[in-house]
Amino acid sequence: MTQFDSQVGFAILRHCAPVLGLEPHTDPETYLARRTELGVEEVNRRLLTASGVEHFLVETGYRGEELLDPAGMSAASGKPADEIVRLEAVAEQVVAEGTDAAGFSARFEAALWERSRTARGLKSVVAYRYGLDVDPEPPTAEEVTAAAGRWLRTGRSRVEDPVLLRHLIWKGVERGLPLQFHTGFGDPDVDLRRSDPLLLRGLIERVEPSGVPVMLLHCYPFHRNAGFLAQVYPNVHFDVGLGVNHTGARSAAIVAESLELAPFSKILFSSDAWGPAELHHLGALLWRRAMIRVLSGFVAEGEWSRAQAVRVAAMVGAENARRVYRLEKPRVTARR
Amino acid sequence: MTQFDSQVGFAILRHCAPVLGLEPHTDPETYLARRTELGVEEVNRRLLTASGVEHFLVETGYRGEELLDPAGMSAASGKPADEIVRLEAVAEQVVAEGTDAAGFSARFEAALWERSRTARGLKSVVAYRYGLDVDPEPPTAEEVTAAAGRWLRTGRSRVEDPVLLRHLIWKGVERGLPLQFHTGFGDPDVDLRRSDPLLLRGLIERVEPSGVPVMLLHCYPFHRNAGFLAQVYPNVHFDVGLGVNHTGARSAAIVAESLELAPFSKILFSSDAWGPAELHHLGALLWRRAMIRVLSGFVAEGEWSRAQAVRVAAMVGAENARRVYRLEKPRVTARR
Amino acid sequence: MTQFDSQVGFAILRHCAPVLGLEPHTDPETYLARRTELGVEEVNRRLLTASGVEHFLVETGYRGEELLDPAGMSAASGKPADEIVRLEAVAEQVVAEGTDAAGFSARFEAALWERSRTARGLKSVVAYRYGLDVDPEPPTAEEVTAAAGRWLRTGRSRVEDPVLLRHLIWKGVERGLPLQFHTGFGDPDVDLRRSDPLLLRGLIERVEPSGVPVMLLHCYPFHRNAGFLAQVYPNVHFDVGLGVNHTGARSAAIVAESLELAPFSKILFSSDAWGPAELHHLGALLWRRAMIRVLSGFVAEGEWSRAQAVRVAAMVGAENARRVYRLEKPRVTARR
């Protein structure tokens, strides 16, 4: 056994190997040797270019210093790349730079507006830090100050207090950009039972009057629940990003299940690529293969017209994101 | 984007357009214009007739005054149509007509028996009014009177007190007709987390000795859970009604998933049509297409015989409903 | 209607009938008559041999006296058969043989080691006796003695106290054999909501340092949740045993859904056969048919190579079990 003995591993050997000049279904050793031989820069360039992504939205809040930032992504791919700002990372930066409890809220707000000046959206990882079953109400100023004091006294860099996590979300809502939530599966520290997007119902209803789009990311295995939320709440959108990459040959089934209740204007493509450039290529390629397979099936069975299939693919693949994130023109351009 | 950009919208343009004399996959504007041109009565007649439904069971408790009643349905379709009585609507009628708290229970019981004299079943929408996680025990007479008093003092027309909702259910059980529960997805006011039919376990077990059939409606995305309940409890039946209409080209997948654990005698067809006549036609047509596709697949793969497939289609499509709802002969006939 | 009107019934008539010398899709009466005519011993021999199972792991804790024990299974099948010991059965045996509360823990531990001397694994049915939402912490010695006293005073043979159920699990972990958990659907006394394997998260994390493999059995309809656990926790494995038999013609869909997130080294075949020999044959045959259909699909769609498909089938079908349960050589041999 190797770590490649999984759907995502087989998908890399199948679809990324040819981009590196190897036969499909090569063995892991050959693949890794070739990767080393080409070097990171060339591998990134090849895989990012092959992905066919026209505009990247890059979330920079998790180990951002080890990864390409939007400018770096743009340089490597030759396409525009914009930023999604992680709320928790801003709060942790504020604390790292020094604040007292009473000053936390104002400093966070200022930092958030400054950090997100050119951003296209914000992101909450409350699913990782507490759970989506967080109280949906905004906390009071007194509660925030008290919670900030508790946090500062722990000396820990990581924000995990549910009062503060709620405060970050509500300050994010005030900021007015599309607000992403990690939902569904992810790294081992997620408690999957507490990452069902249905748990966000109270928050979605309270955010709705603000007009801020709520973007549910990944959602697997709760993507049908996400489809329900996208059907009944005008401000809810979702994708099955992470689920496409990690289910490989089964990703068409996941994409098909995401095309049930939700209006087609509320479903978005996402690669959820993080880290290796393989995930950018795979996320896009597997999604395209899945859409072709699923929508062609609808057409072959006489349920959809070909024109409808083409139109929905364009909506989910690009137009919905362009509209919700206002991607008319890139805000960040390559450094070189 | 239009409101037709969804599975149910595409299904209307595909399958209802030809019934109105248009090409399949027509555009929404043409469809709506043609609908207006034909007039409501002709549209209803065409779509209800095309549905192929042989016997309608019509629930009249939600905005019933705006919709065709069973006699109207029978007139428009040329088929028998019987009534399902919504428990909450009867309670609200009792209060609208005037009662005090102490008299509520007796008046409700009398009204229920009178209203359901020719009915084929009762329905609870506790999923909308509270949640399926309601206490499964019947409340005491004192609790009911106290809760009725609380309700009357609010001056609200809508019954939402869980004590009263439980009381309605248990009076419904005493009435002895098949008892439907809305489960799974529906309008935005349903909390999907609290509409999982598994939450009815305690109630199902307590109802079982009465012999009253418990009918789980819709169930999506919890239809596999419903299949489990139908397998282990003799009195439980289910359908995937609403889920068929709203998933359109994906409805075969939902129907397939409903054909797993449950004995075939416990699964029923339902259109869950409410409102536009399109949903009656679609609900029936998509279900038939789904059954043909799924059962033909079982036959083609060598798992089922053709005779078994035909027999199961007849059971789910008609015989199970005729048996459980005792539809030997119609009780309500057309007014004209 | 007959009790054969279900997926498992149709599968018996399809796949077991030929083993008994009948046409596929025979009728239930013919099938049952032929079964009587051949006699139990011959039916067992035919169906167990036809199953193609190379090594049986037999759990003996539920009505074991009515069933073939490992030696009997080995004799009937001509293959090695080893035992899985049910923790709760050992505790109940200890009480049946007589103990006081203070002596329970030591007697249980001694009995567990003696009973499992040649066993390949242990099993917990806490899902049936309480729920998987049991407190994950080991109870203290005082708590165990107090709980044992409560149990003894009830005079009941069945262990249901969550303190004792936890104690059994933790003594099982100390024993060091792979530890199976019933999860997902099963007999009517399981509360399906409380048998979601995600509820075991706390226990899995606490067991992880011991290196004891946690084996999640059945999992349906939560098999995607099980796949997530198998992906993120090194000690978690799972199967969809019971789900394959009981979904018959739909079992390929279940198997496909089990091949999403989890590394292929963490997925195991299981028939979950209990009772009639039909379930042994069906469990193995339907699983093979499902794997062939699903993996051939991956190959036909160009996602996997043929060699990868063959390798994964061998891993899931045999190698993973041989490795985790250390089945190099049989421990129990036939009596004759």
Side-chain angles (χ1 to χ4, degrees):
Chain A
M1 298 174 297
T2 80
Q3 58 181 337
F4 281 87
D5 281 333
S6 61
Q7 290 284 11
V8 65
F10 280 19
I12 289 170
L13 300 177
R14 163 66 185 89
H15 294 297
C16 298
V19 179
L20 307 194
L22 300 169
E23 289 295 305
H25 314 304
T26 190
D27 62 284
E29 296 69 32
T30 305
Y31 186 83
L32 294 171
R34 176 66 177 158
R35 210 181 189 290
T36 306
E37 179 189 14
L38 285 172
V40 167
E41 203 159 336
E42 175 63 10
V43 168
N44 284 353
R45 194 194 57 75
R46 288 194 185 197
L47 289 167
L48 290 179
T49 309
S51 75
V53 171
E54 288 291 320
H55 196 135
F56 289 91
L57 293 181
V58 184
E59 197 249 297
T60 49
Y62 183 53
R63 295 167 58 183
E65 66 288 353
E66 304 171 34
L67 302 168
L68 290 179
D69 63 6
M73 282 290 291
S74 186
S77 66
K79 300 291 177 185
D82 285 324
E83 189 173 6
I84 306 291
V85 170
R86 186 184 286 214
L87 293 166
E88 290 81 4
V90 175
E92 290 162 359
Q93 185 65 22
V94 163
V95 165
E97 291 171 2
T99 180
D100 58 3
F104 170 76
S105 182
R107 282 198 183 86
F108 170 73
E109 188 166 350
L112 177 62
W113 283 72
E114 171 56 27
R115 270 293 280 113
S116 64
R117 211 167 35 82
T118 61
R120 300 292 189 169
L122 305 177
K123 180 171 172 187
S124 163
V125 291
V126 64
Y128 279 110
R129 300 301 180 87
Y130 178 80
L132 299 183
D133 51 342
V134 74
D135 182 346
E137 295 289 347
T140 64
E142 292 71 31
E143 289 171 328
V144 173
T145 300
R150 287 195 300 273
W151 181 21
L152 293 172
R153 284 192 294 278
T154 66
R156 298 174 60 182
S157 61
R158 196 175 152 93
V159 57
E160 292 183 329
D161 187 303
V163 171
L164 295 178
L165 295 166
R166 287 155 59 200
H167 180 65
L168 272 45
I169 291 168
W170 281 105
K171 285 292 158 190
V173 172
E174 284 179 19
R175 177 61 184 86
L177 293 169
L179 181 53
Q180 301 181 339
F181 285 88
H182 178 99
T183 75
F185 96 107
D187 294 324
D189 53 328
V190 80
D191 182 349
L192 195 58
R193 293 186 67 237
R194 296 174 66 192
S195 72
D196 182 343
L198 290 181
L199 292 163
L200 287 175
R201 181 178 189 248
L203 193 66
I204 289 167
E205 294 189 343
R206 283 163 182 78
V207 169
E208 190 178 330
S210 72
V212 167
V214 171
M215 317 304 290
L216 307 173
L217 308 189
H218 323 313
C219 304
Y220 179 98
F222 308 115
H223 39 293
R224 282 174 162 169
N225 295 355
F228 166 76
L229 294 171
Q231 186 196 40
V232 300
Y233 295 110
N235 55 328
V236 173
H237 303 71
F238 79 107
D239 68 57
V240 286
L242 194 53
V244 170
N245 259 332
H246 284 268
T247 60
R250 281 285 299 165
S251 52
I254 315 306
V255 166
E257 289 166 358
S258 76
L259 293 166
E260 292 175 356
L261 288 192
F264 304 130
S265 60
K266 313 292 274 313
I267 310 173
L268 277 74
F269 157 72
S270 150
S271 72
D272 193 62
W274 182 88
E278 276 83 353
L279 298 180
H280 286 280
H281 178 47
L282 270 191
L285 178 137
L286 289 174
W287 177 82
R288 281 193 300 266
R289 286 172 77 91
M291 287 294 276
I292 289 168
R293 194 165 301 152
V294 174
L295 302 193
S296 299
F298 294 165
V299 173
E301 291 159 358
E303 300 291 343
W304 287 23
S305 71
R306 198 174 173 286
Q308 286 173 325
V310 169
R311 189 153 151 275
V312 170
M315 290 169 74
V316 178
E319 290 166 20
N320 293 336
R322 288 194 191 280
R323 184 184 69 251
V324 177
Y325 290 105
R326 304 176 183 275
L327 303 185
E328 310 78 19
K329 52 182 191 298
R331 291 196 184 151
V332 178
T333 47
R335 279 179 300 215
R336 43 179 169 144
Chain B
M1 299 173 300
T2 81
Q3 56 179 338
F4 280 87
D5 281 332
S6 61
Q7 290 284 12
V8 65
F10 280 19
I12 289 171
L13 300 176
R14 163 65 185 90
H15 294 297
C16 298
V19 179
L20 306 194
L22 300 168
E23 290 294 307
H25 314 304
T26 190
D27 62 284
E29 297 68 32
T30 306
Y31 186 84
L32 293 171
R34 175 66 176 159
R35 210 181 190 291
T36 306
E37 180 190 13
L38 285 172
V40 167
E41 204 160 334
E42 176 63 9
V43 167
N44 284 352
R45 194 195 58 74
R46 288 194 185 197
L47 288 167
L48 290 180
T49 309
S51 76
V53 171
E54 287 291 319
H55 196 136
F56 290 91
L57 293 181
V58 184
E59 197 250 297
T60 50
Y62 183 53
R63 295 167 58 182
E65 67 288 351
E66 304 171 34
L67 301 169
L68 292 178
D69 63 5
M73 282 290 291
S74 186
S77 66
K79 299 292 178 185
D82 284 323
E83 189 174 4
I84 305 292
V85 170
R86 186 185 286 216
L87 293 166
E88 291 81 3
V90 175
E92 289 162 1
Q93 185 64 22
V94 163
V95 165
E97 290 171 3
T99 181
D100 59 2
F104 170 76
S105 181
R107 282 199 181 86
F108 170 73
E109 187 165 352
L112 176 62
W113 283 71
E114 172 55 27
R115 270 293 280 113
S116 64
R117 213 168 33 82
T118 62
R120 300 292 189 170
L122 305 176
K123 181 171 171 187
S124 163
V125 291
V126 65
Y128 280 110
R129 301 302 180 85
Y130 177 81
L132 299 182
D133 50 342
V134 74
D135 181 345
E137 295 289 347
T140 65
E142 292 70 33
E143 288 170 328
V144 172
T145 300
R150 286 195 301 270
W151 180 21
L152 293 171
R153 284 192 296 277
T154 65
R156 298 174 61 181
S157 61
R158 195 175 152 92
V159 57
E160 292 183 329
D161 186 303
V163 171
L164 295 177
L165 295 166
R166 287 156 57 200
H167 180 64
L168 272 45
I169 290 168
W170 281 105
K171 284 293 159 188
V173 172
E174 283 179 20
R175 177 61 184 88
L177 293 170
L179 182 52
Q180 301 181 339
F181 285 88
H182 177 99
T183 74
F185 95 107
D187 294 325
D189 53 329
V190 81
D191 182 348
L192 195 58
R193 292 187 67 236
R194 296 174 65 191
S195 72
D196 182 342
L198 290 182
L199 292 164
L200 288 175
R201 182 179 189 246
L203 194 67
I204 288 167
E205 293 188 343
R206 284 163 182 77
V207 169
E208 190 178 331
S210 73
V212 167
V214 171
M215 317 302 291
L216 307 173
L217 309 189
H218 323 314
C219 304
Y220 180 98
F222 308 115
H223 39 293
R224 282 175 161 168
N225 295 354
F228 166 76
L229 293 171
Q231 186 195 40
V232 299
Y233 296 110
N235 56 327
V236 173
H237 303 71
F238 80 107
D239 67 58
V240 286
L242 194 53
V244 169
N245 260 331
H246 285 268
T247 59
R250 280 286 298 165
S251 51
I254 315 306
V255 166
E257 289 167 357
S258 76
L259 293 166
E260 292 175 357
L261 287 192
F264 304 130
S265 60
K266 313 293 275 313
I267 311 173
L268 277 74
F269 157 73
S270 151
S271 71
D272 193 64
W274 182 88
E278 275 84 353
L279 298 180
H280 287 281
H281 178 46
L282 270 191
L285 178 137
L286 289 174
W287 177 82
R288 281 194 299 266
R289 286 172 77 91
M291 286 293 276
I292 289 169
R293 194 165 300 154
V294 173
L295 303 193
S296 299
F298 294 165
V299 173
E301 291 158 359
E303 300 291 343
W304 287 23
S305 71
R306 197 172 174 287
Q308 286 173 324
V310 169
R311 189 154 151 273
V312 169
M315 290 169 73
V316 178
E319 290 166 21
N320 293 336
R322 287 193 192 281
R323 184 185 69 252
V324 176
Y325 289 105
R326 304 176 183 274
L327 302 184
E328 311 78 19
K329 51 182 193 294
R331 291 195 185 154
V332 178
T333 48
R335 279 179 299 215
R336 43 179 170 145
Chain C
M1 300 172 299
T2 81
Q3 57 180 337
F4 281 87
D5 282 332
S6 61
Q7 289 284 12
V8 64
F10 280 20
I12 289 170
L13 300 176
R14 163 66 185 90
H15 294 298
C16 298
V19 179
L20 306 194
L22 301 169
E23 290 294 306
H25 314 304
T26 190
D27 62 283
E29 297 69 32
T30 306
Y31 186 84
L32 293 171
R34 176 66 176 160
R35 211 181 190 289
T36 305
E37 181 189 12
L38 285 172
V40 167
E41 203 159 334
E42 175 63 11
V43 167
N44 284 352
R45 194 195 57 75
R46 288 194 185 197
L47 289 167
L48 290 180
T49 309
S51 76
V53 171
E54 288 291 320
H55 196 136
F56 290 91
L57 293 182
V58 184
E59 196 250 296
T60 50
Y62 183 53
R63 294 166 59 182
E65 67 289 350
E66 304 170 34
L67 300 169
L68 292 179
D69 63 6
M73 283 290 291
S74 185
S77 66
K79 300 290 178 184
D82 285 323
E83 190 174 4
I84 305 292
V85 170
R86 185 184 287 216
L87 293 167
E88 291 81 3
V90 176
E92 290 162 359
Q93 186 65 23
V94 163
V95 165
E97 290 172 4
T99 181
D100 58 3
F104 170 76
S105 182
R107 282 201 182 84
F108 170 73
E109 187 166 351
L112 176 61
W113 283 72
E114 171 56 27
R115 270 292 281 113
S116 64
R117 212 167 34 84
T118 61
R120 300 292 189 170
L122 305 176
K123 180 170 171 187
S124 163
V125 291
V126 64
Y128 279 110
R129 301 303 178 85
Y130 178 80
L132 299 182
D133 50 344
V134 74
D135 181 346
E137 295 288 347
T140 65
E142 293 70 33
E143 288 170 329
V144 172
T145 300
R150 286 195 301 272
W151 181 23
L152 293 171
R153 284 192 295 278
T154 66
R156 298 175 62 180
S157 61
R158 195 174 152 92
V159 57
E160 293 183 329
D161 187 304
V163 171
L164 295 177
L165 295 166
R166 287 155 58 200
H167 180 64
L168 273 45
I169 291 167
W170 281 105
K171 285 291 159 190
V173 171
E174 284 178 19
R175 176 62 183 85
L177 293 169
L179 182 52
Q180 300 182 339
F181 286 88
H182 177 101
T183 75
F185 96 107
D187 293 325
D189 53 327
V190 80
D191 183 349
L192 196 58
R193 293 186 67 237
R194 296 175 66 192
S195 72
D196 183 343
L198 290 182
L199 291 163
L200 288 174
R201 180 177 190 249
L203 194 66
I204 289 166
E205 294 188 343
R206 283 162 182 79
V207 169
E208 190 178 332
S210 73
V212 167
V214 171
M215 317 303 291
L216 307 173
L217 308 189
H218 324 314
C219 304
Y220 179 98
F222 308 113
H223 39 294
R224 282 175 161 169
N225 295 355
F228 166 75
L229 293 171
Q231 186 196 39
V232 299
Y233 295 110
N235 56 328
V236 173
H237 303 71
F238 80 107
D239 69 58
V240 287
L242 194 53
V244 170
N245 261 331
H246 284 268
T247 60
R250 281 285 299 164
S251 51
I254 315 306
V255 167
E257 289 166 357
S258 76
L259 293 166
E260 291 175 358
L261 287 192
F264 304 130
S265 60
K266 312 293 274 313
I267 311 172
L268 276 74
F269 157 72
S270 151
S271 71
D272 193 62
W274 181 89
E278 276 83 354
L279 298 180
H280 287 281
H281 178 46
L282 270 191
L285 178 137
L286 289 174
W287 177 83
R288 282 193 299 265
R289 287 172 76 90
M291 286 294 276
I292 289 168
R293 193 164 302 152
V294 173
L295 303 193
S296 299
F298 294 165
V299 173
E301 291 158 359
E303 301 291 344
W304 287 22
S305 71
R306 196 172 176 287
Q308 286 174 325
V310 169
R311 188 153 151 273
V312 169
M315 289 169 75
V316 178
E319 290 165 21
N320 293 337
R322 287 193 192 280
R323 184 185 69 250
V324 177
Y325 291 105
R326 304 176 183 273
L327 301 184
E328 311 76 20
K329 53 182 192 297
R331 291 197 185 150
V332 178
T333 47
R335 279 179 301 215
R336 45 181 167 141

